[in-house]
Amino acid sequence: MVVELGKISLKDLTFDCIIGTLPYERENEQPIVLNVSLWLDFTLAAQNEDLAHSIDYAQLAEDLKGFIRLSCFQLEETLVYRTAEKILMDHPKAKAVEVSVRKPCAIPDCAGAESSIRMTRN
């Protein structure tokens, strides 16, 4: 049997946090928009209808918001890198993860500044 990987995604998870290198960014929270996709084998979850064989995306969203808010990253690049690492460490079922973050208020007259990364498990 060929195992196809399924994808679980969080789309446009929006919350405020400290991020940035400028003095005012270190003092004031600003909104970010987080997108996360995880690839994993859905076989056991589909056969058993059991969340224990998948990833609880509601819990994942809360965990990531807490992690990012406590971290107070300076760079978007660091945020996406460390978040992807955390997901792979905390969720051994995940074979790969993609994380992107956008700061919608970073640049006037622009939809925002965005960084992303994709990591795969070794």
Side-chain angles (χ1 to χ4, degrees):
M1 174 192 294
V2 175
V3 174
E4 295 290 334
L5 295 180
K7 181 171 82 168
I8 293 173
S9 297
L10 301 175
K11 297 286 189 186
D12 298 335
L13 180 62
T14 304
F15 57 97
D16 293 342
C17 67
I18 297 289
I19 183 166
T21 58
L22 300 174
Y24 71 89
E25 292 178 310
R26 303 308 305 154
E27 296 172 5
N28 301 296
E29 290 187 338
Q30 61 182 302
I32 64 166
V33 180
L34 184 70
N35 287 284
V36 175
S37 292
L38 295 86
W39 285 263
L40 60 145
D41 183 349
F42 283 1
T43 304
L44 288 176
Q47 289 172 348
N48 299 305
E49 289 281 330
D50 186 350
L51 186 56
H53 298 293
S54 189
I55 294 172
D56 181 341
Y57 48 80
Q59 186 62 54
L60 176 65
E62 289 306 309
D63 291 348
L64 294 179
K65 283 184 356 184
F67 170 72
I68 291 168
R69 294 195 83 224
L70 286 174
S71 297
C72 298
F73 295 111
Q74 292 189 39
L75 298 177
E76 287 185 5
E77 295 87 342
T78 307
L79 186 156
V80 297
Y81 187 91
R82 296 287 180 230
T83 302
E85 275 187 328
K86 177 176 178 39
I87 292 168
L88 289 176
M89 186 179 350
D90 292 352
H91 299 281
K93 292 176 188 80
K95 306 296 184 197
V97 61
E98 186 170 13
V99 177
S100 70
V101 67
R102 181 169 47 93
K103 291 169 50 178
C105 300
I107 301 169
D109 303 321
C110 180
E114 184 170 278
S115 297
S116 65
I117 193 168
R118 182 176 171 139
M119 282 188 186
T120 57
R121 189 174 299 286
N122 290 338

PDB file of all heavy atoms in Angstrom, residues 7-33:
ATOM      1  N   LYS A   7      -2.621  16.566   5.089  1.00  0.00           N
ATOM      2  CA  LYS A   7      -2.184  17.882   5.544  1.00  0.00           C
ATOM      3  C   LYS A   7      -3.222  18.481   6.470  1.00  0.00           C
ATOM      4  O   LYS A   7      -4.410  18.514   6.146  1.00  0.00           O
ATOM      5  CB  LYS A   7      -1.949  18.804   4.347  1.00  0.00           C
ATOM      6  CG  LYS A   7      -1.459  20.191   4.738  1.00  0.00           C
ATOM      7  CD  LYS A   7      -1.036  21.011   3.529  1.00  0.00           C
ATOM      8  CE  LYS A   7      -2.208  21.656   2.855  1.00  0.00           C
ATOM      9  NZ  LYS A   7      -1.813  22.672   1.853  1.00  0.00           N
ATOM     10  N   ILE A   8      -2.768  18.953   7.620  1.00  0.00           N
ATOM     11  CA  ILE A   8      -3.591  19.704   8.568  1.00  0.00           C
ATOM     12  C   ILE A   8      -3.058  21.132   8.558  1.00  0.00           C
ATOM     13  O   ILE A   8      -1.842  21.342   8.647  1.00  0.00           O
ATOM     14  CB  ILE A   8      -3.486  19.110   9.984  1.00  0.00           C
ATOM     15  CG1 ILE A   8      -4.121  17.728  10.018  1.00  0.00           C
ATOM     16  CG2 ILE A   8      -4.112  20.038  11.013  1.00  0.00           C
ATOM     17  CD1 ILE A   8      -3.928  17.002  11.324  1.00  0.00           C
ATOM     18  N   SER A   9      -3.945  22.111   8.451  1.00  0.00           N
ATOM     19  CA  SER A   9      -3.506  23.510   8.372  1.00  0.00           C
ATOM     20  C   SER A   9      -4.256  24.410   9.330  1.00  0.00           C
ATOM     21  O   SER A   9      -5.446  24.204   9.587  1.00  0.00           O
ATOM     22  CB  SER A   9      -3.697  24.050   6.949  1.00  0.00           C
ATOM     23  OG  SER A   9      -2.903  23.342   6.031  1.00  0.00           O
ATOM     24  N   LEU A  10      -3.550  25.382   9.828  1.00  0.00           N
ATOM     25  CA  LEU A  10      -4.146  26.525  10.525  1.00  0.00           C
ATOM     26  C   LEU A  10      -4.003  27.703   9.573  1.00  0.00           C
ATOM     27  O   LEU A  10      -2.895  28.025   9.151  1.00  0.00           O
ATOM     28  CB  LEU A  10      -3.395  26.830  11.830  1.00  0.00           C
ATOM     29  CG  LEU A  10      -3.337  25.722  12.869  1.00  0.00           C
ATOM     30  CD1 LEU A  10      -2.465  26.157  14.036  1.00  0.00           C
ATOM     31  CD2 LEU A  10      -4.732  25.367  13.352  1.00  0.00           C
ATOM     32  N   LYS A  11      -5.102  28.339   9.223  1.00  0.00           N
ATOM     33  CA  LYS A  11      -5.095  29.432   8.250  1.00  0.00           C
ATOM     34  C   LYS A  11      -5.414  30.757   8.921  1.00  0.00           C
ATOM     35  O   LYS A  11      -6.428  30.887   9.611  1.00  0.00           O
ATOM     36  CB  LYS A  11      -6.131  29.191   7.146  1.00  0.00           C
ATOM     37  CG  LYS A  11      -5.868  27.968   6.318  1.00  0.00           C
ATOM     38  CD  LYS A  11      -4.727  28.201   5.383  1.00  0.00           C
ATOM     39  CE  LYS A  11      -4.610  27.044   4.396  1.00  0.00           C
ATOM     40  NZ  LYS A  11      -3.430  27.171   3.576  1.00  0.00           N
ATOM     41  N   ASP A  12      -4.539  31.710   8.741  1.00  0.00           N
ATOM     42  CA  ASP A  12      -4.755  33.088   9.186  1.00  0.00           C
ATOM     43  C   ASP A  12      -5.082  33.196  10.675  1.00  0.00           C
ATOM     44  O   ASP A  12      -6.001  33.922  11.066  1.00  0.00           O
ATOM     45  CB  ASP A  12      -5.850  33.760   8.352  1.00  0.00           C
ATOM     46  CG  ASP A  12      -5.475  33.859   6.884  1.00  0.00           C
ATOM     47  OD1 ASP A  12      -4.264  33.865   6.581  1.00  0.00           O
ATOM     48  OD2 ASP A  12      -6.369  33.936   6.040  1.00  0.00           O
ATOM     49  N   LEU A  13      -4.316  32.487  11.503  1.00  0.00           N
ATOM     50  CA  LEU A  13      -4.440  32.614  12.953  1.00  0.00           C
ATOM     51  C   LEU A  13      -3.853  33.971  13.331  1.00  0.00           C
ATOM     52  O   LEU A  13      -2.659  34.212  13.162  1.00  0.00           O
ATOM     53  CB  LEU A  13      -3.682  31.478  13.650  1.00  0.00           C
ATOM     54  CG  LEU A  13      -3.705  31.459  15.168  1.00  0.00           C
ATOM     55  CD1 LEU A  13      -5.130  31.303  15.694  1.00  0.00           C
ATOM     56  CD2 LEU A  13      -2.813  30.335  15.692  1.00  0.00           C
ATOM     57  N   THR A  14      -4.693  34.877  13.794  1.00  0.00           N
ATOM     58  CA  THR A  14      -4.293  36.267  14.027  1.00  0.00           C
ATOM     59  C   THR A  14      -4.305  36.575  15.516  1.00  0.00           C
ATOM     60  O   THR A  14      -5.275  36.285  16.212  1.00  0.00           O
ATOM     61  CB  THR A  14      -5.248  37.219  13.288  1.00  0.00           C
ATOM     62  OG1 THR A  14      -5.264  36.861  11.889  1.00  0.00           O
ATOM     63  CG2 THR A  14      -4.802  38.659  13.419  1.00  0.00           C
ATOM     64  N   PHE A  15      -3.193  37.133  15.988  1.00  0.00           N
ATOM     65  CA  PHE A  15      -3.080  37.532  17.385  1.00  0.00           C
ATOM     66  C   PHE A  15      -1.967  38.563  17.512  1.00  0.00           C
ATOM     67  O   PHE A  15      -1.200  38.781  16.577  1.00  0.00           O
ATOM     68  CB  PHE A  15      -2.843  36.323  18.310  1.00  0.00           C
ATOM     69  CG  PHE A  15      -1.623  35.507  17.973  1.00  0.00           C
ATOM     70  CD1 PHE A  15      -0.427  35.700  18.644  1.00  0.00           C
ATOM     71  CD2 PHE A  15      -1.680  34.528  16.990  1.00  0.00           C
ATOM     72  CE1 PHE A  15       0.694  34.939  18.343  1.00  0.00           C
ATOM     73  CE2 PHE A  15      -0.569  33.760  16.686  1.00  0.00           C
ATOM     74  CZ  PHE A  15       0.618  33.970  17.372  1.00  0.00           C
ATOM     75  N   ASP A  16      -1.897  39.215  18.651  1.00  0.00           N
ATOM     76  CA  ASP A  16      -0.889  40.249  18.897  1.00  0.00           C
ATOM     77  C   ASP A  16       0.275  39.674  19.685  1.00  0.00           C
ATOM     78  O   ASP A  16       0.096  38.808  20.547  1.00  0.00           O
ATOM     79  CB  ASP A  16      -1.499  41.407  19.701  1.00  0.00           C
ATOM     80  CG  ASP A  16      -2.553  42.177  18.917  1.00  0.00           C
ATOM     81  OD1 ASP A  16      -2.581  42.057  17.679  1.00  0.00           O
ATOM     82  OD2 ASP A  16      -3.346  42.889  19.548  1.00  0.00           O
ATOM     83  N   CYS A  17       1.476  40.182  19.372  1.00  0.00           N
ATOM     84  CA  CYS A  17       2.675  39.778  20.101  1.00  0.00           C
ATOM     85  C   CYS A  17       3.760  40.838  19.895  1.00  0.00           C
ATOM     86  O   CYS A  17       3.629  41.730  19.063  1.00  0.00           O
ATOM     87  CB  CYS A  17       3.173  38.413  19.642  1.00  0.00           C
ATOM     88  SG  CYS A  17       3.805  38.377  17.957  1.00  0.00           S
ATOM     89  N   ILE A  18       4.813  40.712  20.675  1.00  0.00           N
ATOM     90  CA  ILE A  18       6.000  41.542  20.477  1.00  0.00           C
ATOM     91  C   ILE A  18       6.847  40.877  19.406  1.00  0.00           C
ATOM     92  O   ILE A  18       7.245  39.721  19.546  1.00  0.00           O
ATOM     93  CB  ILE A  18       6.813  41.678  21.786  1.00  0.00           C
ATOM     94  CG1 ILE A  18       6.010  42.375  22.866  1.00  0.00           C
ATOM     95  CG2 ILE A  18       8.158  42.370  21.528  1.00  0.00           C
ATOM     96  CD1 ILE A  18       5.771  43.852  22.632  1.00  0.00           C
ATOM     97  N   ILE A  19       7.096  41.592  18.317  1.00  0.00           N
ATOM     98  CA  ILE A  19       7.984  41.116  17.259  1.00  0.00           C
ATOM     99  C   ILE A  19       8.542  42.333  16.540  1.00  0.00           C
ATOM    100  O   ILE A  19       7.815  43.287  16.263  1.00  0.00           O
ATOM    101  CB  ILE A  19       7.291  40.158  16.268  1.00  0.00           C
ATOM    102  CG1 ILE A  19       8.315  39.653  15.248  1.00  0.00           C
ATOM    103  CG2 ILE A  19       6.084  40.786  15.631  1.00  0.00           C
ATOM    104  CD1 ILE A  19       7.869  38.481  14.428  1.00  0.00           C
ATOM    105  N   GLY A  20       9.833  42.294  16.265  1.00  0.00           N
ATOM    106  CA  GLY A  20      10.469  43.385  15.548  1.00  0.00           C
ATOM    107  C   GLY A  20      11.744  43.823  16.239  1.00  0.00           C
ATOM    108  O   GLY A  20      12.011  43.461  17.385  1.00  0.00           O
ATOM    109  N   THR A  21      12.514  44.615  15.523  1.00  0.00           N
ATOM    110  CA  THR A  21      13.801  45.082  16.037  1.00  0.00           C
ATOM    111  C   THR A  21      13.782  46.555  16.420  1.00  0.00           C
ATOM    112  O   THR A  21      14.669  47.010  17.135  1.00  0.00           O
ATOM    113  CB  THR A  21      14.910  44.866  14.988  1.00  0.00           C
ATOM    114  OG1 THR A  21      14.564  45.567  13.790  1.00  0.00           O
ATOM    115  CG2 THR A  21      15.092  43.384  14.688  1.00  0.00           C
ATOM    116  N   LEU A  22      12.803  47.293  15.953  1.00  0.00           N
ATOM    117  CA  LEU A  22      12.750  48.726  16.242  1.00  0.00           C
ATOM    118  C   LEU A  22      12.282  48.966  17.675  1.00  0.00           C
ATOM    119  O   LEU A  22      11.507  48.164  18.225  1.00  0.00           O
ATOM    120  CB  LEU A  22      11.809  49.421  15.257  1.00  0.00           C
ATOM    121  CG  LEU A  22      12.212  49.300  13.782  1.00  0.00           C
ATOM    122  CD1 LEU A  22      11.150  49.886  12.880  1.00  0.00           C
ATOM    123  CD2 LEU A  22      13.572  49.956  13.540  1.00  0.00           C
ATOM    124  N   PRO A  23      12.739  50.039  18.301  1.00  0.00           N
ATOM    125  CA  PRO A  23      12.394  50.279  19.715  1.00  0.00           C
ATOM    126  C   PRO A  23      10.889  50.219  20.003  1.00  0.00           C
ATOM    127  O   PRO A  23      10.474  49.597  20.981  1.00  0.00           O
ATOM    128  CB  PRO A  23      12.970  51.666  19.991  1.00  0.00           C
ATOM    129  CG  PRO A  23      14.128  51.782  19.036  1.00  0.00           C
ATOM    130  CD  PRO A  23      13.675  51.042  17.797  1.00  0.00           C
ATOM    131  N   TYR A  24      10.064  50.831  19.159  1.00  0.00           N
ATOM    132  CA  TYR A  24       8.625  50.818  19.434  1.00  0.00           C
ATOM    133  C   TYR A  24       8.043  49.411  19.278  1.00  0.00           C
ATOM    134  O   TYR A  24       7.058  49.064  19.929  1.00  0.00           O
ATOM    135  CB  TYR A  24       7.861  51.838  18.580  1.00  0.00           C
ATOM    136  CG  TYR A  24       7.751  51.500  17.112  1.00  0.00           C
ATOM    137  CD1 TYR A  24       6.692  50.732  16.636  1.00  0.00           C
ATOM    138  CD2 TYR A  24       8.689  51.954  16.187  1.00  0.00           C
ATOM    139  CE1 TYR A  24       6.576  50.419  15.287  1.00  0.00           C
ATOM    140  CE2 TYR A  24       8.585  51.650  14.843  1.00  0.00           C
ATOM    141  CZ  TYR A  24       7.531  50.881  14.401  1.00  0.00           C
ATOM    142  OH  TYR A  24       7.426  50.564  13.073  1.00  0.00           O
ATOM    143  N   GLU A  25       8.661  48.578  18.419  1.00  0.00           N
ATOM    144  CA  GLU A  25       8.188  47.199  18.252  1.00  0.00           C
ATOM    145  C   GLU A  25       8.529  46.331  19.465  1.00  0.00           C
ATOM    146  O   GLU A  25       7.858  45.327  19.715  1.00  0.00           O
ATOM    147  CB  GLU A  25       8.813  46.564  17.007  1.00  0.00           C
ATOM    148  CG  GLU A  25       8.340  47.170  15.708  1.00  0.00           C
ATOM    149  CD  GLU A  25       9.010  46.547  14.505  1.00  0.00           C
ATOM    150  OE1 GLU A  25      10.258  46.446  14.484  1.00  0.00           O
ATOM    151  OE2 GLU A  25       8.283  46.140  13.578  1.00  0.00           O
ATOM    152  N   ARG A  26       9.572  46.710  20.203  1.00  0.00           N
ATOM    153  CA  ARG A  26       9.968  45.955  21.383  1.00  0.00           C
ATOM    154  C   ARG A  26       9.090  46.306  22.585  1.00  0.00           C
ATOM    155  O   ARG A  26       9.056  45.580  23.568  1.00  0.00           O
ATOM    156  CB  ARG A  26      11.440  46.208  21.746  1.00  0.00           C
ATOM    157  CG  ARG A  26      12.451  45.893  20.660  1.00  0.00           C
ATOM    158  CD  ARG A  26      12.358  44.521  20.043  1.00  0.00           C
ATOM    159  NE  ARG A  26      12.418  43.425  21.004  1.00  0.00           N
ATOM    160  CZ  ARG A  26      11.891  42.223  20.810  1.00  0.00           C
ATOM    161  NH1 ARG A  26      11.246  41.948  19.684  1.00  0.00           N
ATOM    162  NH2 ARG A  26      11.985  41.286  21.712  1.00  0.00           N
ATOM    163  N   GLU A  27       8.356  47.424  22.476  1.00  0.00           N
ATOM    164  CA  GLU A  27       7.532  47.893  23.592  1.00  0.00           C
ATOM    165  C   GLU A  27       6.038  47.661  23.388  1.00  0.00           C
ATOM    166  O   GLU A  27       5.283  47.608  24.351  1.00  0.00           O
ATOM    167  CB  GLU A  27       7.772  49.388  23.815  1.00  0.00           C
ATOM    168  CG  GLU A  27       9.190  49.719  24.236  1.00  0.00           C
ATOM    169  CD  GLU A  27       9.454  51.213  24.262  1.00  0.00           C
ATOM    170  OE1 GLU A  27       8.514  52.002  24.053  1.00  0.00           O
ATOM    171  OE2 GLU A  27      10.621  51.585  24.481  1.00  0.00           O
ATOM    172  N   ASN A  28       5.608  47.558  22.126  1.00  0.00           N
ATOM    173  CA  ASN A  28       4.177  47.469  21.821  1.00  0.00           C
ATOM    174  C   ASN A  28       3.877  46.219  20.999  1.00  0.00           C
ATOM    175  O   ASN A  28       4.533  45.962  19.986  1.00  0.00           O
ATOM    176  CB  ASN A  28       3.725  48.696  21.018  1.00  0.00           C
ATOM    177  CG  ASN A  28       3.979  49.977  21.768  1.00  0.00           C
ATOM    178  OD1 ASN A  28       3.392  50.202  22.818  1.00  0.00           O
ATOM    179  ND2 ASN A  28       4.867  50.815  21.257  1.00  0.00           N
ATOM    180  N   GLU A  29       2.870  45.479  21.433  1.00  0.00           N
ATOM    181  CA  GLU A  29       2.432  44.336  20.639  1.00  0.00           C
ATOM    182  C   GLU A  29       1.853  44.827  19.314  1.00  0.00           C
ATOM    183  O   GLU A  29       1.317  45.927  19.230  1.00  0.00           O
ATOM    184  CB  GLU A  29       1.371  43.534  21.389  1.00  0.00           C
ATOM    185  CG  GLU A  29       1.910  42.788  22.586  1.00  0.00           C
ATOM    186  CD  GLU A  29       0.872  41.874  23.205  1.00  0.00           C
ATOM    187  OE1 GLU A  29      -0.349  42.094  23.015  1.00  0.00           O
ATOM    188  OE2 GLU A  29       1.291  40.919  23.882  1.00  0.00           O
ATOM    189  N   GLN A  30       1.987  43.983  18.307  1.00  0.00           N
ATOM    190  CA  GLN A  30       1.383  44.264  17.008  1.00  0.00           C
ATOM    191  C   GLN A  30       0.789  42.970  16.473  1.00  0.00           C
ATOM    192  O   GLN A  30       1.179  41.879  16.892  1.00  0.00           O
ATOM    193  CB  GLN A  30       2.419  44.849  16.043  1.00  0.00           C
ATOM    194  CG  GLN A  30       3.596  43.938  15.752  1.00  0.00           C
ATOM    195  CD  GLN A  30       4.596  44.591  14.830  1.00  0.00           C
ATOM    196  OE1 GLN A  30       4.250  44.995  13.717  1.00  0.00           O
ATOM    197  NE2 GLN A  30       5.832  44.715  15.295  1.00  0.00           N
ATOM    198  N   PRO A  31      -0.163  43.073  15.565  1.00  0.00           N
ATOM    199  CA  PRO A  31      -0.790  41.858  15.047  1.00  0.00           C
ATOM    200  C   PRO A  31       0.149  41.092  14.121  1.00  0.00           C
ATOM    201  O   PRO A  31       0.951  41.695  13.393  1.00  0.00           O
ATOM    202  CB  PRO A  31      -2.009  42.375  14.281  1.00  0.00           C
ATOM    203  CG  PRO A  31      -1.670  43.778  13.922  1.00  0.00           C
ATOM    204  CD  PRO A  31      -0.764  44.290  15.002  1.00  0.00           C
ATOM    205  N   ILE A  32       0.030  39.775  14.186  1.00  0.00           N
ATOM    206  CA  ILE A  32       0.662  38.909  13.201  1.00  0.00           C
ATOM    207  C   ILE A  32      -0.396  37.938  12.690  1.00  0.00           C
ATOM    208  O   ILE A  32      -1.414  37.706  13.345  1.00  0.00           O
ATOM    209  CB  ILE A  32       1.874  38.124  13.746  1.00  0.00           C
ATOM    210  CG1 ILE A  32       1.458  37.149  14.849  1.00  0.00           C
ATOM    211  CG2 ILE A  32       2.987  39.051  14.194  1.00  0.00           C
ATOM    212  CD1 ILE A  32       2.525  36.113  15.194  1.00  0.00           C
ATOM    213  N   VAL A  33      -0.140  37.404  11.513  1.00  0.00           N
ATOM    214  CA  VAL A  33      -1.010  36.402  10.910  1.00  0.00           C
ATOM    215  C   VAL A  33      -0.147  35.161  10.682  1.00  0.00           C
ATOM    216  O   VAL A  33       0.832  35.213   9.942  1.00  0.00           O
ATOM    217  CB  VAL A  33      -1.622  36.902   9.588  1.00  0.00           C
ATOM    218  CG1 VAL A  33      -2.534  35.837   8.984  1.00  0.00           C
ATOM    219  CG2 VAL A  33      -2.369  38.216   9.801  1.00  0.00           C
TER     220      VAL A  33
END
